Amino acid sequence: MENVQPDLINHFSNIKKEDIKWKNIKAEGLDLEYATILKKNIAHELMKQLQNSVEYFKDENLTKVKVFGKWHQIPREQSAYGDDGLKYKYSGITVYPKPWIEPLENTRNLIEKITGYRYNFVLINRYRNGLDYIGEHKDDEAELDIHTPIASLSLGQHRDFVLRHENSRKRKLGSSSLPTVKLCLEHGSLLLMNYPTNKFWYHSLPQRKKVPGERINLTFRKIRNIL
Ligand SMILES: O=C(O)CCC(=O)C(=O)O
Ligand SMILES: [Fe+2]
C-alpha cells in the first residue's frame, strides 16, 4: 500500500547540516544560535502530525506551577516525551516523560544530525493563541546537562522571545544594565541556547494579542540520569 502521508523522515534526510545558515547572537554571558531549518511545507506537516498525536498534561499536578511561592494555572498547554527512566523537576512540578512518538523521535534525530547533540527529553509548549505565554524564567535545573544547549524548535505562529540579564532584572546597584535581547521565533526555526546563557539570562514569551495563531514549541534537553 502506498503511504499517503508525506514522509517526514524522507524530508528530514534531505536536510543537510552544511546548508544551514546560523545567526549568532552574543552578549555578556549570552550565546545563542538561530537558524531556519525547516521549509514551510515541512514545518506545516510536522505541526499537523504533532497536532494529531501529542497528548498534553491534564492532571492538576502538572498544569499548575509554583512561581515565587504561589501556585498558578499554566497559561498554555504542556507535555513531555523522552527516554524511559528520566525525571525532570521544574517550577515545583515533577515530570516523567511519555515514551517517544514517531514525529518527535524523528525531530530529535534531525536535530542531532544538524547540531551533533543527542537529546533524551523534549518539553512541549502549546500556545493556543496570543493570550498564552510563558513568564520570565531560567532553565537552570540541576539535572540539565549544561554543556548540551537547549534546542528550541518553533512551529506555527511566530512570536517574540525576550531575554533579560539577571542584573538588569534586579536593577542591581553598581551593575551596568545590559540591553534586553529580543528575537522573533519563526515557523520552522531552531534556537540553541548555549552555555552559559541560562546561568545569567532570563527568557520569556510574552502575550501578543495581535498575533492570535497557534504555536507549538519543542525544547529538546539533555537530562543527566540521576536515578
Ligand atoms: O516557547 C518557547 O519558545 C520557550 C519555552 C521555554 O522557555 C521553556 O519551555 O522553557
Ligand atoms: Fe525556558
Side-chain angles (χ1 to χ4, degrees):
M1 265 263 287
E2 202 184 322
N3 188 356
V4 286
Q5 281 269 324
D7 185 349
L8 268 184
I9 302 200
N10 247 335
H11 284 303
F12 285 180
S13 67
N14 293 327
I15 300 173
K16 299 279 170 280
K17 188 178 176 182
E18 45 288 1
D19 295 340
I20 294 172
K21 292 182 185 63
W22 293 98
K23 189 176 152 203
N24 295 303
I25 302 125
K26 286 193 185 235
E28 193 182 306
L30 177 124
D31 184 345
L32 306 174
E33 290 167 272
Y34 177 81
T36 298
I37 64 161
L38 302 177
K39 294 206 172 90
K40 291 250 166 347
N41 61 325
I42 301 167
H44 281 310
E45 178 55 30
L46 175 58
M47 181 149 174
K48 202 174 80 196
Q49 292 195 14
L50 295 174
Q51 284 167 331
N52 290 331
S53 57
V54 170
E55 290 176 12
Y56 291 92
F57 297 147
K58 290 195 184 68
D59 190 312
E60 253 207 55
N61 295 325
L62 296 168
T63 56
K64 287 191 164 57
V65 292
K66 204 172 188 177
V67 184
F68 302 118
K70 257 185 83 180
W71 289 95
H72 296 269
Q73 185 70 37
I74 57 166
R76 61 192 178 280
E77 291 191 310
Q78 218 167 40
S79 189
Y81 288 77
D83 290 358
D84 195 23
L86 295 177
K87 168 166 111 178
Y88 186 37
K89 275 194 197 180
Y90 62 94
S91 310
I93 66 173
T94 303
V95 167
Y96 298 92
K98 301 175 201 282
W100 291 104
I101 52 174
E102 219 177 292
L104 291 173
E105 197 162 22
N106 292 339
T107 307
R108 182 246 311 244
N109 293 341
L110 171 70
I111 292 177
E112 181 181 6
K113 182 171 83 173
I114 292 173
T115 65
Y117 292 105
R118 181 146 187 93
Y119 293 92
N120 57 11
F121 183 96
V122 61
L123 184 72
I124 306 178
N125 283 296
R126 175 171 175 257
Y127 304 86
R128 294 158 288 196
N129 53 49
L131 297 177
D132 275 0
Y133 66 96
I134 190 163
E136 243 181 4
H137 66 281
K138 285 178 186 168
D139 292 308
D140 61 354
E141 290 75 23
E143 56 264 56
L144 284 175
D145 173 8
I146 52 173
H147 296 295
T148 301
I150 293 181
S152 164
L153 183 80
S154 294
L155 298 166
Q157 176 69 65
H158 63 81
R159 289 282 293 263
D160 288 337
F161 185 73
V162 180
L163 297 112
R164 275 209 297 167
H165 191 279
E166 59 183 13
N167 290 347
S168 309
R169 207 170 161 263
K170 280 187 279 183
R171 284 192 218 150
K172 214 166 111 182
L173 241 60
S175 69
S176 62
S177 149
L178 291 165
T180 299
V181 173
K182 201 193 274 186
L183 303 174
C184 179
L185 301 180
E186 303 278 354
H187 184 45
S189 70
L190 186 69
L191 174 72
L192 301 179
M193 286 188 258
N194 292 313
Y195 185 81
T197 308
N198 269 295
K199 200 166 169 204
F200 300 114
W201 290 72
Y202 284 78
H203 57 267
S204 65
L205 192 103
Q207 283 188 328
R208 289 287 182 261
K209 293 180 184 148
K210 290 181 187 143
V211 288
E214 176 189 356
R215 170 175 185 268
I216 296 176
N217 176 260
L218 312 176
T219 46
F220 288 88
R221 299 159 193 250
K222 180 153 181 215
I223 312 267
R224 295 181 302 154
N225 213 327
I226 47 166
L227 298 180

